[in-house]
Amino acid sequence: MKRVLPVLIALFVASSAYAQTSPDGIPLADPQHAGRPAGSGASTGSADGSATAGSAAAAGSAAAGSADGSAATGSAADGSGAGSGSGSAAAVPAGPAWYDVLANKPIEEEGNFWMPKAVNEAADESDMMFYAVLGLSVFFFAAIAIAVVYLVIKYRHRPGHKPQPSAAHNDVLEITWTVIPTIICVFLFWYGWHSYIRVVTPPNKAVEIDVLAWRWNWQFTHENGVTDSDLHVPAGVPVRLVMTSKDVLHSFYAPAMRVKQDVVPRRFTYAWFQATKPGTYRLTCAEYCGTSHAQMACLDIDEKTGHCNRRAVVVVHKDLEEYEKYLNDKILDQLKMPPVELGKMLYDKKGCSSCHTIDGSARVGPSWKQPDWGKEITLTTGSVTMDENYVRESILYPAKKSRPGFPNSMPPFEGQLKDVELNGLIAYIKSLKQ
């Protein structure tokens, strides 16, 4: 019996492992990760410091580096790696992060002729006010126009008809056209004031997000320090925006949220909303802010045509839990990215593509693809060596050493970028050298 018992235990463990394996040999996901959004691969580190990175397109599997640097494939659920016998298994290509997949979804444009479908809890009152004023305007326009046409035809000049005397005074008529408009105006004022007070008074417990606008991008900073050019918010939870600009006047406008608020330099403005439906919605600047206003928050520009492929959006997560997962995954992914990849991501997310190209052509600012890396370049105030120190200073304090032929309009990024992000941008620019 003592000899049989270990054999039975071994058979039980082997059968359990086989039962948790799909027909094609890929281990099934851990139950504790069931229900995650598609593509939300987990990132875990092994005991010896090697890491496994989940990807949206890896169908739950992740590429993992073994202790000796050979590639292996493993389950995203438990981070284990199962390399081939020779240790040369091909790694599964990493896809976009799950939160970037959400941001890249087509914008939801449902609605009617007048406006998109509202997804803000406080939008019903403002929509009702809009339709009420629209209905009254249409009614009175039609009524007055019909009356004018009827009276012009009825009392037109005709041979044999003498003009009839006009009434000098009519108490009933004058009371009617005074009382009815007064009642309508009082109702519109009361309802509009009630809606306005609600819109400008956020709840005490709200997720607070800092918003910084500049030419030509948005930066949304969340409570754990995560920054993004797309605004990520949870559904069913009030969100308060604390906004300012570091150059000129901008205007935050999210049509589906019915939120529009000027973003003013050297002062703070506020807005809040409570999204009711998960999805990806339009975000734009509704205030002309300069040459590239039309490219404001353009995160992907076609280098050949100059057409904007994707702008910043509002991403509404299904609940607070998914939003917090975005915050945690975003900051971990940024810290683990290779410097060049991080710099490329920041080039798109920080709006650098609005002013700088990566193909050598000039735009508002000089191209990042420079043939003069390591050489002396001419500035408006002298010359300097094009190296890491110059690039770092040009990002943090662009006005100090500006290039001739380009307007000195780049805003400073001092205090807005972490060291790892600065190093990533420098590494990316350096990788583009000719």
Side-chain angles (χ1 to χ4, degrees), residues 18 89 93 149 173 267 270 279 292 311 347 353 388:
Y18 180 79
V149 172
L173 183 61
R267 62 171 293 185
Y270 310 93
S292 296
R311 286 183 170 82
Y347 171 77
S353 57
E388 291 84 354

Side-chain angles (χ1 to χ4, degrees), residues 37-40 56 95-106 227-230 232 280 299 310-311 313 315 317 326 329-330 333-334 337 341 345-346 348-349:
S40 58
W98 65 270
Y99 46 81
D100 286 332
V101 173
L102 293 179
N104 285 310
K105 277 187 169 183
T227 60
D228 205 332
S229 291
D230 295 310
H232 289 255
T280 304
L299 305 184
R310 186 177 91 78
R311 286 183 170 82
V313 294
V315 179
H317 295 273
Y326 153 76
D329 289 358
K330 176 77 173 178
D333 289 348
Q334 288 183 354
M337 292 178 69
E341 292 185 14
M345 185 271 290
L346 293 172
D348 295 325
K349 288 290 186 180

Side-chain angles (χ1 to χ4, degrees), residues 136-343:
L136 287 171
S137 301
V138 171
F139 171 78
F140 282 108
F141 172 80
I144 294 172
I146 292 172
V148 168
V149 172
Y150 170 76
L151 294 175
V152 166
I153 294 175
K154 181 178 180 180
Y155 296 104
R156 70 186 185 279
H157 174 71
R158 288 168 292 176
H161 290 264
K162 295 180 180 180
Q164 300 181 11
S166 300
H169 182 72
N170 190 313
D171 291 338
V172 175
L173 183 61
E174 293 184 5
I175 291 174
T176 300
W177 70 35
T178 301
V179 172
I180 292 179
T182 300
I183 294 174
I184 293 174
C185 290
V186 169
F187 168 76
L188 292 177
F189 172 80
W190 176 86
Y191 197 86
W193 176 256
H194 181 268
S195 301
Y196 172 78
I197 292 298
R198 184 181 180 188
V199 167
V200 299
T201 308
N204 292 328
K205 295 182 179 179
V207 173
E208 194 163 285
I209 301 174
D210 293 334
V211 182
L212 181 64
W214 70 85
R215 295 180 294 183
W216 285 274
N217 198 22
W218 301 103
Q219 177 175 289
F220 302 100
T221 304
H222 300 264
E223 57 183 3
N224 68 339
V226 164
T227 60
D228 205 332
S229 291
D230 295 310
L231 175 57
H232 289 255
V233 300
V237 178
V239 175
R240 182 173 184 257
L241 305 178
V242 181
M243 303 183 289
T244 190
S245 167
K246 60 180 178 180
D247 43 37
V248 299
L249 187 66
H250 300 273
S251 184
F252 176 91
Y253 181 39
M257 308 299 166
R258 306 297 191 265
V259 173
K260 180 180 180 294
Q261 177 62 55
D262 284 351
V263 184
V264 186
R266 297 181 298 279
R267 62 171 293 185
F268 291 101
T269 55
Y270 310 93
W272 80 278
F273 59 88
Q274 182 171 326
T276 57
K277 180 184 175 184
T280 304
Y281 303 97
R282 188 176 300 280
L283 170 62
T284 186
C285 175
E287 190 77 34
Y288 179 72
C289 53
T291 306
S292 296
H293 167 70
Q295 301 293 332
M296 178 76 174
C298 183
L299 305 184
D300 182 21
I301 295 180
D302 191 309
E303 292 296 333
K304 294 182 179 179
T305 64
H307 175 72
C308 182
N309 297 325
R310 186 177 91 78
R311 286 183 170 82
V313 294
V314 180
V315 179
V316 180
H317 295 273
K318 63 181 181 180
D319 50 31
L320 187 60
E321 182 180 355
E322 184 178 282
Y323 168 71
E324 291 175 345
K325 175 178 169 53
Y326 153 76
L327 296 180
N328 296 330
D329 289 358
K330 176 77 173 178
I331 197 167
L332 289 175
D333 289 348
Q334 288 183 354
L335 292 176
K336 292 184 303 181
M337 292 178 69
V340 175
E341 292 185 14
L342 177 60

